[in-house]
Amino acid sequence: MAQCPVAGKRPGARIALTLLCLLSLLLLAGCASPRGSGEVQRSSDPGIAGQWVVVQRGDTLGSIAARADVPLARLQRFNPDVNPNRLAVGQRLLIPTQQERAPSGGPYRYQVRPGDTYSAIARRFGTTPARIQSANPGVEPTRLRVGQIVQVPLRGSGSAVASSSSSSGAASTSRSSGSSSTPARSASPSPAPSSLPASARNWPWPLEDYRIVRAYGTDNNGTLQPMLLATNRGARARAVADGDVRFAGSMRQLGRVVIVHHADNLQSVYALCDNLLVNDGARVTRGTPVCEVGFSNATERFDLLFDMRLGGKPIDPRRVLR
């Protein structure tokens, strides 16, 4: 540490020496300070484990693995459709958690995420729902819990077959997106089921006062867009049917989200929420308020992203709602 000489009796000399000491200390602090704010730093961030991350300029699969503190091989096997030599800016990668494993040839140890079904997991890793169900005899496929660990046997003895990558949760849409926003998907969605259960009829809309600003369907690029409803300040989204809350929390790009599982393998998703009014694991009845609709600075509206799924596959809510 810099040593400052003792000042003489003259006031001017004491002031000058004091300023010199302060300047020396500031220079030393500057030399020891971290990199300038203009330089991008991507240190280890284990907090991204289990999340979807978006590839930024300069990212490599190795650098992302280092940030997440997971083995490179595990990261690559959890993203079997990704070409490590051709990462694209904006591409999404699923970061495995420390509890997950991906041994060569399988079975993989997979942690269930919001909205997951055996069908969605099977598509991701190039296997079949029947193989997953057979490997998990004590697990009910229709009652998967977020955070639950399941075994995922692969179709063959090698690594997982490349398959279309899609988020197993709700369709991704940024809170700041407007009616023309595009969820990040790398492949065309699976076709919606042609028939619906008899119970999926004449359900109420999630909002009492709403306007459809984006209908369910594909955009000009062939990307599936979930429904977006505009409403008023203070509006509350309500459960469209009886069910169990399987997720109530935050998701990247979706803000606060509620996912309710209903009878006959149906799910409803309420995203871009502000305050959540239900807890994970709660039982709700039709009309129960699940969240307060949030405000979008980009659109200057109160928007609710509403999605419905059957067996994990998206369906047009208008086929179910009255």
Side-chain angles (χ1 to χ4, degrees):
M1 183 174 181
Q3 299 293 326
C4 296
V6 178
K9 295 182 179 180
R10 291 181 299 172
R14 287 199 298 270
I15 294 174
L17 287 172
T18 300
L19 291 174
L20 181 61
C21 288
L22 290 174
L23 181 60
S24 299
L25 291 173
L26 288 173
L27 288 173
L28 287 173
C31 292
S33 63
R35 300 173 184 174
S37 59
E39 183 175 350
V40 176
Q41 300 183 53
R42 293 177 182 170
S43 57
S44 176
D45 182 12
I48 64 176
Q51 306 292 326
W52 290 88
V53 300
V54 179
V55 175
Q56 307 293 327
R57 188 178 301 277
D59 276 345
T60 64
L61 207 62
S63 68
I64 295 174
R67 282 171 53 202
D69 193 25
V70 298
L72 176 60
R74 188 185 305 170
L75 176 62
Q76 188 165 1
R77 289 170 184 166
F78 265 73
N79 296 273
D81 63 318
V82 172
N83 185 337
N85 300 317
R86 292 186 178 182
L87 288 186
V89 174
Q91 189 174 11
R92 297 197 315 152
L93 299 177
L94 179 62
I95 308 298
T97 66
Q98 295 297 328
Q99 290 74 38
E100 295 177 304
R101 296 291 183 269
S104 177
Y108 287 2
R109 178 180 168 89
Y110 179 83
Q111 195 164 5
V112 175
R113 289 165 171 80
D116 268 346
T117 63
Y118 277 173
S119 296
I121 299 171
R123 287 196 302 272
R124 175 163 190 81
F125 295 113
T127 184
T128 65
R131 290 177 64 86
I132 299 177
Q133 186 168 355
S134 177
N136 300 273
V139 179
E140 295 185 38
T142 58
R143 304 187 71 84
L144 295 179
R145 302 187 310 275
V146 174
Q148 186 176 13
I149 299 295
V150 296
Q151 301 294 319
V152 182
L154 305 183
R155 187 183 294 274
S157 58
S159 59
V161 178
S163 62
S164 298
S165 173
S166 63
S167 169
S168 57
S172 299
T173 299
S174 171
R175 172 179 287 273
S176 61
S177 299
S179 59
S180 60
S181 61
T182 301
R185 293 178 182 261
S186 58
S188 298
S190 301
S194 57
S195 60
L196 295 176
S199 62
R201 296 288 186 275
N202 297 322
W203 289 10
W205 285 75
L207 295 168
E208 293 181 353
D209 187 9
Y210 63 90
R211 176 168 56 93
I212 300 176
V213 292
R214 185 180 66 205
Y216 170 92
T218 54
D219 61 13
N220 294 332
N221 297 320
T223 304
L224 185 64
Q225 298 277 11
M227 178 178 286
L228 196 65
L229 304 175
T231 186
N232 301 315
R233 181 190 301 273
R236 294 182 170 190
R238 301 176 182 274
V240 293
D242 298 353
D244 298 311
V245 177
R246 294 294 177 84
F247 180 81
S250 297
M251 289 186 185
R252 293 193 177 190
Q253 298 183 333
L254 284 171
R256 291 184 173 89
V257 180
V258 175
I259 300 177
V260 181
H261 281 227
H262 310 284
D264 298 321
N265 210 12
L266 285 155
Q267 301 91 34
S268 59
V269 182
Y270 315 78
L272 305 184
C273 297
D274 191 359
N275 297 322
L276 300 184
L277 304 176
V278 292
N279 297 319
D280 193 0
R283 177 70 180 175
V284 296
T285 58
R286 176 182 296 192
T288 300
V290 296
C291 73
E292 293 180 357
V293 179
F295 180 77
S296 168
N297 291 322
T299 63
E300 297 184 348
R301 291 191 311 253
F302 290 88
D303 289 338
L304 175 73
L305 185 150
F306 181 70
D307 194 22
M308 290 206 64
R309 297 186 169 233
L310 174 59
K313 295 183 179 180
I315 59 175
D316 189 343
R318 289 172 296 186
R319 297 177 59 191
V320 179
L321 308 180
R322 58 172 179 256

